[in-house]
Amino acid sequence: MEGSFMNDVIKTIQQHRSIRKFKNTPLTQEQIDTIVRAAQMAPTSGHFQAYSIIGVTDAGVKKELSKRSGNPVIETCGYLFIFCADLYRIMTAASDNEKQQMKNNVSFAYFNQTSVTDTALAMQNANLAAESMGLGTVIIGGINGALPDLDRWLDLPEYVIPLAGLAVGVPDEHPEQKLRLPQSAVFFENKYNHQLKASVASYDKEMELYYEQRTNNKQKSNWSQKVIHMLTSDIPIEFYTDYIKSKGFALK
Amino acid sequence: MEGSFMNDVIKTIQQHRSIRKFKNTPLTQEQIDTIVRAAQMAPTSGHFQAYSIIGVTDAGVKKELSKRSGNPVIETCGYLFIFCADLYRIMTAASDNEKQQMKNNVSFAYFNQTSVTDTALAMQNANLAAESMGLGTVIIGGINGALPDLDRWLDLPEYVIPLAGLAVGVPDEHPEQKLRLPQSAVFFENKYNHQLKASVASYDKEMELYYEQRTNNKQKSNWSQKVIHMLTSDIPIEFYTDYIKSKGFALK
């Protein structure tokens, strides 16, 4: 970490890895409260605080959610938070006239994007707070495989959309850290550098070694192969737009 | 902070306030590097790392951006990062055939949302790393007031959209902290609580006191009045959807 400042916050950030194997230890109420309080202190656009957090402890819901998201961690973690973008709460404080105008504004993509941003900022605070207490975490985007049923299970109203799960628990593995892209491919001064092929290729070489040598799930691949594969797959994503629109975020 | 765990990470998270007055001290290269490294360690969906960060030091761009976003902090802070959702980088590694299929997939709202989420997670890491070093920060969503010209100034290609600015510097103020919503209005176990009026009303009372008593910009208002005002205003937001679509995120 040459040329880089160090303290406990930066150390926690730098030690991040996703944990997918947990000990059979539920979180304490104190840990849950600390994580939620941390989430709430994140910056938020216009002080909207446009998110809600659902703690899922219902075994039946976790079982079904685990199946539908293809992620067993949902059942084995110490606690599961679902982070939702939420513009419903503020509507409960509005008059009927105001509500109509709000619904019109919220039907534009802009407010979908700001509420998603608010939610992600809060989720990363929660994530770091958990990690700082020695807990392991993994963010589970795959919960969208349970949409729209997840709405019914969690009783989510219009203008509330689950963004991701945050599974937290006592780690029962210490996986290798996944290398990040070289700084030269991500951080630019004043002008975006369109000449990215060389730095991506050198990263691909590093990632090829990582996938070959890591402890679990060794494979022959690299970064761009994997991402391109995901982005060229014939994956069902239309449903997601339909779902968002059905919740009032019309993306106009 | 009764019933809540404490360490340096949680302390940094809990001490967050937005800083809008900075000393005339530029960030050091070590501070900038530390912040960028922190951003890059955030969790990322499918290891996409779907963001780029532009450090803006060009005085002309900062002046124009400050004017267009209505935010003088852009010129007075110690360093300005612009966090962009980025699915262009990965396209530079793809064949023409792959690129066509990727462009089709990325035209769905799902990938706009995952790249925005990636970007916000990275931004919050950057934010906390800066705060942990004693620096002050403020996230500036208002940079979208400079769209689409900002693209030209920063030379941003298709599939790269600026999400927000992160202004960082040596704080020259110590504002009161803005209270957050009560936990009972944000965090629910298993089922969303639709009965939010009472907890929002009690929060509004607290926020009314805050706005009356705070040092700067005292006013008679409360939380829901302010948010409802923003969400019922006749603000120009159509342009934002047009802009996103023009960059390849068709929100299909």
Side-chain angles (χ1 to χ4, degrees):
Chain A
M1 219 36 81
E2 215 186 335
S4 190
F5 194 86
M6 190 50 72
N7 61 36
D8 281 357
V9 175
I10 292 158
K11 204 179 293 172
T12 300
I13 286 172
Q14 288 298 334
Q15 285 174 352
H16 168 73
R17 58 257 287 155
S18 294
I19 298 297
R20 294 181 176 82
K21 192 163 176 244
F22 295 103
K23 292 194 173 140
N24 186 13
T25 314
L27 261 60
T28 65
Q29 196 57 50
E30 190 189 16
Q31 288 170 325
I32 296 168
D33 279 352
T34 303
I35 291 168
V36 172
R37 279 174 202 261
Q40 288 200 253
M41 283 314 297
T44 156
S45 177
H47 209 48
F48 276 28
Q49 306 169 73
Y51 55 84
S52 283
I53 308 165
I54 319 280
V56 183
T57 57
D58 183 296
V61 169
K62 286 205 286 187
K63 189 175 178 183
E64 201 58 33
L65 185 53
S66 165
K67 200 165 38 167
R68 293 277 293 277
S69 61
N71 199 324
V73 159
I74 284 168
E75 282 190 279
T76 58
C77 68
Y79 200 83
L80 177 68
F81 300 92
I82 308 263
F83 279 77
C84 308
D86 184 342
L87 283 170
Y88 173 81
R89 184 193 301 110
I90 185 59
M91 292 200 192
T92 66
S95 70
D96 286 348
N97 273 348
E98 287 167 339
K99 227 176 275 180
Q100 275 320 305
Q101 182 58 34
M102 286 161 89
K103 287 183 176 186
N104 180 55
N105 275 347
V106 170
S107 69
F108 288 93
Y110 179 73
F111 285 111
N112 171 254
Q113 193 144 314
T114 55
S115 57
V116 165
T117 301
D118 262 22
T119 310
L121 295 170
M123 186 161 60
Q124 182 55 4
N125 261 14
N127 184 30
L128 286 172
E131 292 180 319
S132 77
M133 295 188 284
L135 297 166
T137 66
V138 62
I139 293 180
I140 304 171
I143 59 160
N144 63 44
L147 297 176
D149 294 338
L150 187 54
D151 276 355
R152 190 166 36 82
W153 304 341
L154 306 182
D155 208 7
L156 302 182
E158 52 178 359
Y159 304 105
V160 177
I161 50 171
L163 183 65
L166 177 68
V168 183
V170 178
D172 197 19
E173 62 170 0
H174 188 71
E176 291 93 346
Q177 245 188 341
K178 248 186 198 161
L179 285 171
R180 265 49 183 176
L181 281 157
Q183 189 173 297
S184 62
V186 172
F187 178 56
F188 314 109
E189 197 174 282
N190 290 315
K191 297 275 183 195
Y192 192 95
N193 177 5
H194 295 237
Q195 305 311 317
L196 291 162
K197 280 196 175 195
S199 49
V200 168
S202 106
Y203 179 56
D204 273 341
K205 283 219 180 80
E206 292 183 282
M207 285 300 286
E208 196 173 316
L209 269 178
Y210 164 82
Y211 287 122
E212 259 174 36
Q213 297 178 350
R214 68 178 175 183
T215 314
N216 292 317
N217 194 16
K218 288 190 208 306
Q219 52 189 284
K220 181 91 189 155
S221 191
N222 63 35
W223 178 72
S224 60
Q225 270 178 27
K226 284 182 92 77
V227 179
I228 289 170
H229 177 75
M230 285 185 274
L231 279 170
T232 52
S233 301
D234 195 14
I235 40 174
I237 39 180
E238 296 87 342
F239 87 92
Y240 193 76
T241 317
D242 293 342
Y243 168 73
I244 293 181
K245 290 185 175 177
S246 78
K247 298 305 293 284
F249 293 101
L251 304 177
K252 273 199 301 195
Chain B
M1 219 36 82
E2 217 186 333
S4 189
F5 193 85
M6 188 51 71
N7 61 36
D8 281 358
V9 175
I10 292 160
K11 206 179 290 173
T12 301
I13 286 172
Q14 287 298 335
Q15 285 174 352
H16 169 72
R17 57 258 288 155
S18 294
I19 298 298
R20 294 181 175 85
K21 193 165 176 243
F22 294 103
K23 292 192 173 143
N24 185 13
T25 314
L27 261 60
T28 65
Q29 196 57 48
E30 189 190 18
Q31 289 170 325
I32 296 167
D33 279 352
T34 304
I35 291 167
V36 172
R37 279 176 203 261
Q40 288 199 253
M41 284 314 297
T44 155
S45 177
H47 208 49
F48 276 28
Q49 306 168 73
Y51 54 85
S52 282
I53 308 165
I54 319 280
V56 183
T57 57
D58 183 296
V61 169
K62 286 206 284 185
K63 190 174 178 183
E64 201 59 33
L65 185 53
S66 165
K67 202 166 34 165
R68 292 277 294 278
S69 62
N71 199 325
V73 159
I74 285 169
E75 283 190 279
T76 57
C77 69
Y79 200 83
L80 177 69
F81 300 93
I82 308 262
F83 279 77
C84 306
D86 184 343
L87 284 170
Y88 173 82
R89 184 193 302 109
I90 185 60
M91 293 200 191
T92 65
S95 70
D96 285 348
N97 272 349
E98 288 168 336
K99 227 178 276 182
Q100 275 320 305
Q101 183 58 32
M102 287 163 88
K103 288 184 177 186
N104 179 55
N105 274 347
V106 171
S107 70
F108 287 93
Y110 179 73
F111 285 111
N112 171 254
Q113 194 144 311
T114 56
S115 57
V116 165
T117 300
D118 261 23
T119 310
L121 295 170
M123 185 161 63
Q124 182 56 4
N125 260 13
N127 185 30
L128 286 172
E131 290 179 321
S132 79
M133 296 188 282
L135 297 166
T137 66
V138 62
I139 293 179
I140 304 172
I143 59 159
N144 62 44
L147 298 175
D149 294 338
L150 186 54
D151 275 354
R152 190 166 36 82
W153 304 341
L154 306 182
D155 208 6
L156 301 182
E158 51 179 0
Y159 303 104
V160 177
I161 51 171
L163 184 65
L166 177 68
V168 182
V170 177
D172 197 19
E173 63 169 359
H174 189 70
E176 292 90 347
Q177 244 187 343
K178 249 187 198 159
L179 283 171
R180 263 50 182 176
L181 280 157
Q183 189 174 299
S184 62
V186 171
F187 177 57
F188 314 109
E189 196 175 281
N190 291 315
K191 297 274 183 194
Y192 192 93
N193 178 4
H194 294 238
Q195 306 310 316
L196 291 162
K197 279 196 174 192
S199 50
V200 168
S202 106
Y203 179 56
D204 273 341
K205 283 220 180 77
E206 290 183 283
M207 284 301 284
E208 196 173 316
L209 268 177
Y210 164 82
Y211 287 122
E212 260 173 37
Q213 296 178 351
R214 69 178 175 182
T215 314
N216 292 317
N217 195 16
K218 288 191 211 307
Q219 52 189 282
K220 181 88 189 158
S221 192
N222 63 37
W223 178 71
S224 60
Q225 271 178 28
K226 283 181 94 78
V227 179
I228 290 170
H229 177 74
M230 286 185 274
L231 278 170
T232 51
S233 300
D234 194 14
I235 40 175
I237 39 181
E238 296 87 343
F239 86 93
Y240 193 76
T241 317
D242 294 341
Y243 168 72
I244 293 180
K245 290 184 175 177
S246 78
K247 298 306 291 287
F249 292 101
L251 304 177
K252 277 200 297 196

